[in-house]
Amino acid sequence: QVQLVESGGGLVQPGDSLTISCTASGYTFASKIMGWFRQAAGKEREGISCISSDEGNTNYADSVKGRFRISKDNAKKTVYLQMNNLNPEDPGMYYCVADRHPCLSWDPKGRHLEIWGQGTNVTVGS
């Protein structure tokens, strides 16, 4: 019954900012490593960001470094992804992921990770 539920996706214009969130239930949130993946139409799934369970160290894909920021609130069992200066390379389905293993061990395409959310869609442009 472990679940991750994303929210906050939508349509934005290039250069806009958007924050999406992921709320967990059914497991000990603070014991898991949390991260975000995305998949655009016609493209491979890619890891976007990851945050450690205790020290809060973060990792980012090169494509989003300096523009996106991951954070979490253990009391709310929620992880956030603040996305700034969105561009046409950023749209896609964004998935929240939870896993017991450290960020640097994660497969770049998300293979073998334990818990996945249903996704929230981000569209850039109109």
Side-chain angles (χ1 to χ4, degrees), residues 81-97:
L81 185 67
Q82 298 178 356
M83 301 180 287
N84 299 314
N85 194 25
L86 288 160
N87 60 57
E89 297 179 350
D90 295 321
M93 189 70 70
Y94 282 71
Y95 298 94
C96 179
V97 183

Side-chain angles (χ1 to χ4, degrees), residues 15 38 72:
R38 72 183 180 190
K72 64 179 179 179

Side-chain angles (χ1 to χ4, degrees), residues 28-88:
T28 304
F29 178 84
S31 70
K32 299 288 187 180
I33 310 300
M34 306 295 299
W36 292 92
F37 283 73
R38 72 183 180 190
Q39 186 168 22
K43 297 182 179 180
E44 299 282 352
R45 184 173 62 189
E46 61 176 334
I48 297 301
S49 187
C50 185
I51 185 168
S52 65
S53 59
D54 293 326
E55 64 273 20
N57 292 335
T58 59
N59 290 276
Y60 298 94
D62 289 341
S63 60
V64 304
K65 285 182 179 178
R67 297 190 297 121
F68 290 11
R69 186 174 74 88
I70 189 171
S71 62
K72 64 179 179 179
D73 185 331
N74 287 340
K76 294 182 177 180
K77 302 176 71 173
T78 299
V79 61
Y80 306 91
L81 185 67
Q82 298 178 356
M83 301 180 287
N84 299 314
N85 194 25
L86 288 160
N87 60 57

Side-chain angles (χ1 to χ4, degrees), residues 10-18 84-88 90 123-126:
L11 173 65
V12 299
Q13 298 298 313
D16 285 356
S17 297
L18 187 69
N84 299 314
N85 194 25
L86 288 160
N87 60 57
D90 295 321
T123 303
V124 180
S126 62

Side-chain angles (χ1 to χ4, degrees), residues 7-25:
S7 63
L11 173 65
V12 299
Q13 298 298 313
D16 285 356
S17 297
L18 187 69
T19 298
I20 56 177
S21 62
C22 168
T23 299
S25 64

